[in-house]
Amino acid sequence: MARDDDDKPAQGAETYDDRPFHSGDLPPEVRAPLAAFDGAEPPAPQWFKDAIADAPERSFVQSKGTRLELLTWGEVGKPGLLLVHGNSAHADWWSFIAPFLARDYRVAAMSLAGMGESDWRDRYAFGDFADDAEACARAAGLYADGRPPIYIGHSFGGAQVFFAAVRHPERMRAAVLVDTGFGGPPPEVEAERKRRREQVRNIPTADRPSRVYASLAEALGRFRLMPPQPAGNLFVADFIARRSLKRAPLPAEVEGGSGEGWTWKFDPTMWEKLDRKGFEDRGGRAPTVRVPMVHIYGAQSSIIARRKGGERGFLGPDVREIEIPQSEHHVMIDQPLALVSSLRTLLAVWPA
């Protein structure tokens, strides 16, 4: 099991709680980008402060017996945009991006089931995620201008947008994928799935999390990104990390184990519970995409490097691609304003 300097498994948002990583050779800015701040917030530029000050309206939507977190910006009646985050993330990954889009759109960001403030499920499925997205789009008023919304999804969320576009093209006017791969869970996650199959006790639940930290500073110090990369803008990473945590009772074995500590919000067993049926292609052929689609990706993304190395993908020749320079996989952390500019320019002229 890989460990950091306090000899515990690394974890974080867009990472996987209590999963082993061979991280001993990773530099501190990758292994624990927020640890040096000891719980304090990194300095942030004014544009970011202004963006997060434009706070969303927060609500919940019921879908398939599950309560889903929903954030909304902008006026009902404007064209609709639905934003979908990556794995182990949450709707607030878009909270500093959405205000720039809300000038011209009714914008909604959802937390997928098992993530953020949304409820966990005993089973997850691509089809259910697609229906959840539709429920959130309807509840947010994204159809109020008389047209279906445009879906925008990052990473795992981009895979959900792609699946929904293939299965339910009538539900969206267009789709934008942001640094999206289709190769399944990373090798580190596959190793953890094997470990869980061999040791089935102590499975985490929403009420009994797998790890609780005694202080917020300790939890933030454990945050890191998956795939491993530096956090391009630490003020963004800190904002995301704080909203990835919730209060939880301290177990007796934790030093001073009384009262409450902090744990990650996401379901760390999501991959074990995920049914991918209906997503894989058939006969080696990519599924037919019937809606306009664009892929935005980071020039230094490890996800894209895997694709270029021969990993199977589903994006056909009709899917145009936009490269964001000086960005790895987490484009909204590495180059948030470049992502904003790309989205605003794209949406001003596309789809026709």
Side-chain angles (χ1 to χ4, degrees):
M1 178 180 291
R3 305 172 186 273
D4 359 301
D5 43 6
D6 70 350
D7 207 39
K8 294 177 183 176
Q11 18 185 329
E14 266 273 324
T15 75
Y16 307 88
D17 186 47
D18 278 350
R19 299 178 188 270
F21 299 101
H22 298 290
S23 59
D25 295 332
L26 294 177
E29 64 268 22
V30 175
R31 187 176 65 244
L34 301 177
F37 294 95
D38 195 27
E41 294 184 17
Q46 192 61 46
W47 74 261
F48 182 79
K49 295 177 182 178
D50 292 342
I52 61 175
D54 188 356
E57 180 180 346
R58 296 176 181 269
S59 61
F60 290 93
V61 175
Q62 288 289 330
S63 176
K64 297 183 175 295
T66 300
R67 192 182 71 153
L68 303 174
E69 183 180 25
L70 182 66
L71 280 54
T72 52
W73 298 259
E75 298 176 14
V76 175
K78 291 182 177 181
L81 296 179
L82 179 67
L83 310 178
V84 189
H85 60 77
N87 187 48
S88 304
H90 48 78
D92 273 302
W93 277 64
W94 296 103
S95 283
F96 47 93
I97 302 292
F100 291 100
L101 305 175
R103 300 171 187 176
D104 301 305
Y105 295 89
R106 171 65 171 175
V107 184
M110 63 180 295
S111 287
L112 294 168
M115 307 177 213
E117 295 289 342
S118 295
D119 291 342
W120 294 14
R121 285 175 173 157
D122 294 331
R123 171 186 172 275
Y124 301 97
F126 279 63
D128 291 344
F129 285 139
D131 291 344
D132 294 342
E134 169 72 355
C136 287
R138 293 284 180 187
L142 300 190
Y143 285 85
D145 78 324
R147 296 175 295 175
I150 295 173
Y151 282 35
I152 302 173
H154 172 240
S155 190
F156 180 81
Q160 305 314 314
V161 169
F162 182 88
F163 176 89
V166 170
R167 185 65 63 87
H168 303 289
E170 74 283 356
R171 294 181 180 177
M172 65 185 76
R173 188 158 61 98
V176 180
L177 314 183
V178 180
D179 214 272
T180 297
F182 299 94
E188 297 90 344
V189 177
E190 286 288 7
E192 175 60 10
R193 293 174 73 184
K194 180 178 179 181
R195 185 183 73 85
R196 287 194 189 279
R197 286 193 295 268
E198 294 171 350
Q199 183 181 5
V200 296
R201 62 182 181 275
N202 297 325
I203 300 299
T205 67
D207 297 327
R208 191 187 68 249
S210 55
R211 184 172 297 280
V212 182
Y213 297 102
S215 69
L216 179 61
E218 182 185 5
L220 292 172
R222 304 293 298 165
F223 175 89
R224 77 176 200 179
L225 298 169
M226 171 61 75
Q229 66 161 81
N233 286 293
L234 293 172
F235 57 90
V236 178
D238 179 84
F239 174 87
I240 287 170
R242 290 175 187 273
R243 287 152 184 81
S244 303
L245 292 159
K246 63 182 178 180
R247 301 307 298 265
L250 280 170
E253 61 268 22
V254 174
E255 184 176 353
S258 61
E260 286 189 321
W262 298 86
T263 192
W264 305 106
K265 291 179 179 179
F266 58 82
D267 182 351
T269 63
M270 191 278 295
W271 281 109
E272 287 92 332
K273 301 175 183 176
L274 179 62
D275 180 2
R276 292 170 58 86
K277 291 179 181 177
F279 179 70
E280 285 78 6
D281 59 350
R282 297 178 181 178
R285 292 176 288 104
T288 300
V289 179
R290 296 182 178 86
V291 300
M293 183 175 290
V294 168
H295 183 218
I296 299 173
Y297 66 92
Q300 284 78 46
S301 168
S302 60
I303 299 294
I304 303 306
R306 280 164 42 185
R307 188 185 73 179
K308 292 178 178 178
E311 181 178 272
R312 183 179 62 173
F314 294 107
L315 302 183
D318 294 335
V319 178
R320 296 182 178 181
E321 297 194 278
I322 299 171
E323 181 181 274
I324 303 292
Q326 297 297 308
S327 177
E328 298 195 37
H329 174 62
H330 299 93
V331 183
M332 63 272 290
I333 298 178
D334 296 339
Q335 295 291 345
L337 292 181
L339 178 59
V340 167
S341 295
S342 296
L343 288 171
R344 289 175 64 175
T345 302
L346 174 65
L347 295 174
V349 299
W350 173 92

